[in-house]
Amino acid sequence: MKFILSDKDVRVLEHSPAPVEQILLELGVNPLEVIVSRDGKLISEDTIVEADDEIRAIRIAHGG
Amino acid sequence: MQPNVPICSLCTEPAVIYQRHEDRHLCGTHFTADVKRRVADIITIQKMIVPHDRVAVALSGGKDSTALLLLLNNLLPQWHDVRLVAITIDEGIGGYREDTIKSAEQVTGRLGIEHHCISFSDLFGDSLDTILQGRETQACSICGILRKKALVVGAGQAGATKLATGHNLDDEAQSVLMNVFRGDLSRLIRNSSIGSSGKFIPRIKPFSLISEKEIALYLMLNDAWCELPECPYTRYALRREVRSMLSGFEYKHPGTMLHLIESKEKIERCGKGSVNLEPLRSCRECGDPCSGDLCQVCLLRQSSGH
């Protein structure tokens, strides 16, 4: 699956189907600090994502 | 419908969020309605907005204040003779504030809301970038003091009766922890929304029980999310460390942030009368309400030799 953490950090992961929350944790991302979309649609973090999915994690924390 | 997609607990649409505090999934429509209801409830219960109020929204153009303006504008028909005005502070932070001011202008223009912009240069004679030269590590404290003053000036000029800020649950919980870390009990239990005795415009925080993640999701669902740069001074902020730590705790131990707020409220109640809070006085230099002889802005001016 293609996992986009930011415009500069796009990863291609060999991962069996799993909750997106689990994959975020494996990547060292706190699920509370991102909003996740699959193929452009917002999903909850317990959604199970699969090999051919494109996942984007949008960071929400901004200072100021 | 794709398999393995959690479904909204209230209908058959796919969920966009799992609310751990309620143990339920919500779709976009039900989540938006839920946020609106919770914000309306806290405003009503705490009497944040009353008939004939003119509410100044502190609008940085970032996500929290933008969401607040959108939501209050949406709730406006529920209140009798309440008007909104937006106040944006231009601190003068190169490469950062220009984008958020543009965003603030766009949202107020789209909603037809009166918008005032106050700059540090006009009010204090210099931009924040200039004021901070050589003391960047104090950026957030200095900016916080000056921005608070600028907001009060802006709200006063706009004839506001309330000043609404976009502080969310995460911000509030972080503040509790930071005040504990600093051992600043008086700041921990100080409440600027009550007991103002007409000396300052009461502040209201309608998002104080809504998490940062929920606010971001609300904006995305309402096509109002935009990626903005991060303030360059946040790297010096204690808040940044606390935010990361607290977010980790909240994930592992759901309810941590809410418990911190509840603890603060309990301490407030227990401390009533036993904690020696300075009475509200007027600043010797500028006459603004303050707890000491000089207000924070005049103290800052004095320490800078201005």
Side-chain angles (χ1 to χ4, degrees), chain B residues 64 166-176 212 239 243:
Chain B
D64 301 309
H167 291 96
N168 58 47
L169 175 63
D170 300 50
D171 296 326
E172 292 298 280
Q174 288 156 16
S175 295
V176 172
E212 185 170 33
R239 186 176 288 275
R243 169 192 279 166

Side-chain angles (χ1 to χ4, degrees), chain A residues 21 25 30-35 38 42-48 50 53 58-64, chain B residues 2 4-6 15-16 25 63 96-97 147 213 216-217 220 227-228 230-231 234 243 247-248 250-251:
Chain A
E21 181 176 15
L25 291 171
N30 181 339
L32 295 184
E33 295 179 358
V34 292
I35 305 274
R38 172 169 61 188
L42 298 170
I43 55 172
S44 65
E45 57 262 40
D46 54 344
T47 301
I48 294 174
E50 309 203 24
D53 285 339
I58 306 150
R59 287 201 175 269
I60 57 165
H62 284 286
Chain B
Q2 279 187 274
N4 303 321
V5 175
V16 295
H25 289 90
K63 69 175 187 314
Y96 166 63
R97 198 41 101 196
R147 189 154 58 161
K213 179 163 177 156
L217 184 57
M220 288 178 197
E227 294 275 355
L228 290 168
E230 189 171 44
C231 175
T234 55
R243 169 192 279 166
S247 179
E250 178 66 34
Y251 179 72

Side-chain angles (χ1 to χ4, degrees), chain B residues 90-301:
Chain B
D90 179 3
E91 302 92 345
I93 305 174
Y96 166 63
R97 198 41 101 196
E98 298 89 342
D99 287 351
T100 55
I101 289 175
K102 204 170 159 187
S103 178
E105 286 169 349
Q106 282 170 350
V107 69
T108 49
R110 186 157 55 85
L111 299 175
I113 291 174
E114 186 182 323
H115 185 209
H116 297 248
C117 199
I118 308 267
S119 78
F120 274 17
S121 295
D122 287 344
L123 205 55
F124 306 116
D126 272 319
S127 69
L128 185 69
D129 285 341
T130 306
I131 293 168
L132 288 180
Q133 277 171 11
R135 44 181 178 169
E136 289 83 357
T137 53
Q138 301 169 54
C140 293
S141 322
I142 293 174
C143 181
I145 290 167
L146 298 178
R147 189 154 58 161
K148 201 176 280 182
K149 167 78 176 179
L151 276 173
V152 169
V153 169
Q157 286 175 357
T161 54
K162 299 281 166 58
L163 178 56
T165 63
H167 291 96
N168 58 47
L169 175 63
D170 300 50
D171 296 326
E172 292 298 280
Q174 288 156 16
S175 295
V176 172
L177 210 50
M178 286 164 68
N179 286 326
V180 171
F181 284 170
R182 293 185 183 120
D184 195 341
L185 184 58
S186 58
R187 184 173 287 187
L188 178 69
I189 64 175
R190 196 181 299 154
N191 189 337
S192 56
S193 65
I194 52 169
S196 61
S197 318
K199 289 193 174 176
F200 55 84
I201 300 168
R203 289 184 165 226
I204 58 172
K205 298 174 181 177
F207 279 167
S208 56
L209 296 179
I210 310 289
S211 74
E212 185 170 33
K213 179 163 177 156
E214 289 178 311
I215 290 170
L217 184 57
Y218 177 87
L219 282 178
M220 288 178 197
L221 289 166
N222 287 279
D223 295 323
W225 170 264
C226 71
E227 294 275 355
L228 290 168
E230 189 171 44
C231 175
Y233 294 112
T234 55
R235 66 178 182 273
Y236 302 110
L238 169 65
R239 186 176 288 275
R240 189 179 199 176
E241 291 174 59
V242 171
R243 169 192 279 166
S244 173
M245 182 189 71
L246 196 48
S247 179
F249 266 90
E250 178 66 34
Y251 179 72
K252 286 183 187 157
H253 312 285
T256 296
M257 291 189 192
L258 207 51
H259 295 156
L260 274 168
I261 305 295
E262 288 166 358
S263 300
K264 172 196 176 332
E265 289 168 356
K266 280 179 196 162
I267 294 168
E268 256 174 29
R269 286 195 294 274
C270 296
K272 230 175 213 173
S274 60
V275 176
N276 194 14
L277 283 177
E278 291 280 341
L280 211 53
R281 292 194 274 174
S282 296
C283 173
R284 176 164 49 86
E285 288 292 324
C286 70
D288 274 5
C290 61
S291 54
D293 194 29
L294 289 173
C295 71
Q296 294 285 309
V297 175
C298 290
L299 276 171
L300 193 61
R301 280 191 169 131

Side-chain angles (χ1 to χ4, degrees), chain A residues 5-43:
Chain A
L5 285 165
S6 74
D7 290 342
K8 292 176 187 163
D9 190 354
V10 180
R11 305 184 192 190
V12 178
L13 306 176
E14 297 292 328
H15 207 294
S16 53
V20 72
E21 181 176 15
Q22 181 190 320
I23 301 173
L24 286 168
L25 291 171
E26 287 170 12
L27 294 171
V29 177
N30 181 339
L32 295 184
E33 295 179 358
V34 292
I35 305 274
V36 184
S37 70
R38 172 169 61 188
D39 303 326
K41 286 192 176 156
L42 298 170
I43 55 172

